[in-house]
Amino acid sequence: MYPRRLSKVINIGLVQVGGRSPISVQSMTKTDTRDAAATIRQIRELEDRGCEIIRVAVPDSQAAGTLTKIKRGINIPLIADIHFDHHLALKALSAGVDGLRLNPGNISEASKVSEIVKVAKERQTPIRIGVNAGSLPPPAVSGQTIPQRMVATAMRHIKLLEDLNFDLIKVSLKAFDVPTAIEAYQDIAVKIPYPLHLGITEAGTPRAGVIRSAAGIGTLLYLGIGDTIRVSLTTTPHEEVAAGYDILKSLNLRERGPILVSCPTCGRCEADVIVLAEQVEKMLQKTSKSLRVAVMGCVVNGPGEAKDADIGIACGKGKAILFKKGKQLAVVAENEILVRLMREIEEM
Ligand code: SF4
């Protein structure tokens, strides 16, 4: 792992972002923001799954009018996602949102940007400049690559805020194309002091989207770049949060709940490890302990291969060896594996 890029620290509500703060997991609601009850319900479900910052779309004045109620009904910082209309930004700020996602360069008049910044400064509310590869303005300089245009757009928007002495800034440069996003983030990471929010936009349905996001977000995090992340998936936001933690856990950047180590199985395997691993994975959803649990297909290599696991099983014909930290604990019958494993985990 490369050392983390140490950005300026900002506070999104009670969540510290940047510097050495934990890389936080964000998501975005998929309800109609005008339906405050449904939006609050979804946010609270996401809170239970570990979502640390939530963004809601604010497409119109009615949606902006629900933000106070939504804010009161939830426990994590609320970010209002606003495009073009500065009235919506002002309304969101007066509703007490913890952050704005806004591109100041998309607001036509300088006086309107300065009106928003004045209130954001008074309230110490950060603004995320969120540039997307799919909605870039025409290039200012011919021959620029997409990543260069993304960075140039962000820099132009950042300058608008800096010229107003506003520095509670977070930046994202999202693209569907993974190398494009990586290149853009790497470039801007050395140009600005602000924290970076990572995402691969329109990443797709769960399987493809998680892989694209893991490749893009994972690479950047490995390079030490990134302070908050969102996995964008065409499915419920609950899966976005789980995938976000899985990426962070894969890089040993966060701990949250168990990690399942399971072997791919091979010709040595004498048990149905594929089914067993699925059952164990489901069972582990009941615990929040940060443990590594291994499900291995044979007694020959199982304990050795899973020596980093806290607890696990190595299957044989009709039975399995239960081991802790690579050491044998007991031999259990096949039909007792799940119950015994769970009991041991509860005791740990
Ligand atoms: Fe094959 Fe055993 Fe390794 Fe599983 S643990 S892949 S069954 S050798």
Side-chain angles (χ1 to χ4, degrees):
M1 289 279 280
Y2 284 70
R4 182 158 172 200
R5 165 186 174 265
L6 291 181
S7 74
K8 173 183 163 58
V9 176
I10 59 170
N11 292 303
I12 314 279
L14 294 176
V15 176
Q16 205 175 66
V17 167
R20 296 183 198 280
S21 351
I23 293 158
S24 50
V25 175
Q26 300 195 15
S27 190
M28 188 169 184
T29 53
K30 307 197 177 188
T31 50
D32 182 341
T33 310
R34 288 165 288 210
D35 185 345
T39 304
I40 291 169
R41 195 162 51 243
Q42 187 167 77
I43 295 171
R44 296 194 74 134
E45 286 167 11
L46 295 173
E47 287 175 8
D48 289 344
R49 285 162 173 81
C51 180
E52 292 166 314
I53 299 172
I54 190 72
R55 178 161 54 113
V56 296
V58 184
D60 58 25
S61 183
Q62 203 188 334
T66 61
L67 293 173
T68 307
K69 193 168 177 190
I70 292 171
K71 174 83 186 127
R72 283 199 197 115
I74 64 173
N75 302 298
I76 54 175
L78 179 67
I79 294 183
D81 188 287
I82 288 159
H83 290 276
F84 306 113
D85 187 345
H86 90 296
H87 289 113
L88 297 180
L90 293 172
K91 208 164 171 181
L93 286 167
S94 67
V97 296
D98 303 289
L100 291 178
R101 183 270 166 126
L102 182 81
N103 286 344
N106 293 346
I107 292 169
S108 51
E109 291 163 40
S111 62
K112 291 177 178 170
V113 177
S114 100
E115 224 180 307
I116 297 169
V117 170
K118 185 171 174 279
V119 182
K121 210 193 283 183
E122 278 164 14
R123 293 179 167 267
Q124 290 291 287
T125 306
I127 296 176
R128 166 155 75 89
I129 293 169
V131 172
N132 275 5
S135 55
L136 289 172
V141 182
S142 66
Q144 275 185 321
T145 62
I146 300 283
Q148 286 169 341
R149 283 174 60 196
M150 291 168 74
V151 172
T153 304
M155 295 301 284
R156 186 166 59 82
H157 293 185
I158 290 166
K159 187 164 184 316
L160 287 172
L161 296 186
E162 287 179 337
D163 285 349
L164 294 163
N165 291 321
F166 186 84
D167 64 356
L168 301 176
I169 299 171
K170 188 167 63 154
V171 177
S172 66
L173 300 174
K174 298 188 182 182
F176 171 77
D177 184 68
V178 172
T180 297
I182 292 173
E183 218 176 289
Y185 276 111
Q186 277 189 289
D187 187 6
I188 207 159
V190 293
K191 288 190 162 87
I192 58 168
Y194 307 114
L196 294 173
H197 169 67
L198 304 184
I200 299 299
T201 195
E202 291 109 30
T205 49
R207 185 176 174 278
V210 168
I211 292 170
R212 291 192 83 80
S213 299
I217 295 173
T219 301
L220 286 162
L221 291 172
Y222 182 80
L223 294 171
I225 295 169
D227 302 286
T228 61
I229 64 168
R230 180 204 172 191
V231 178
S232 306
L233 298 175
T234 315
T235 186
T236 65
H238 312 75
E239 291 195 40
E240 295 187 354
V241 174
Y245 276 106
D246 283 342
I247 292 172
L248 293 174
K249 281 156 66 178
S250 302
L251 290 162
N252 302 329
L253 289 168
R254 293 286 300 268
E255 284 190 353
R256 184 179 169 86
I259 294 174
L260 178 63
V261 180
S262 62
C263 86
T265 83
C266 72
R268 279 199 196 92
C269 189
E270 293 183 292
D272 193 346
V273 169
I274 295 175
V275 169
L276 189 60
E278 281 169 7
Q279 289 171 331
V280 172
E281 187 173 47
K282 206 165 166 199
M283 184 185 79
L284 290 176
Q285 288 169 1
K286 295 179 197 147
T287 179
S288 58
K289 292 181 183 173
S290 296
L291 296 170
R292 275 177 192 251
V293 181
V295 176
M296 309 305 288
C298 76
V299 291
V300 181
N301 292 332
E305 285 184 9
K307 60 183 180 303
D308 291 335
D310 295 293
I311 186 161
I313 48 158
C315 296
K317 198 168 184 143
K319 60 187 180 189
I321 294 178
L322 180 71
F323 56 89
K324 266 187 179 172
K325 306 281 184 192
K327 292 208 170 69
Q328 185 170 329
L329 193 70
V331 175
V332 287
E334 193 177 357
N335 59 357
E336 292 170 7
I337 292 173
L338 285 176
V339 175
R340 180 68 191 270
L341 196 56
M342 196 62 206
R343 201 172 76 210
E344 293 290 338
I345 289 169
E346 276 164 8
E347 283 171 10
M348 284 174 91

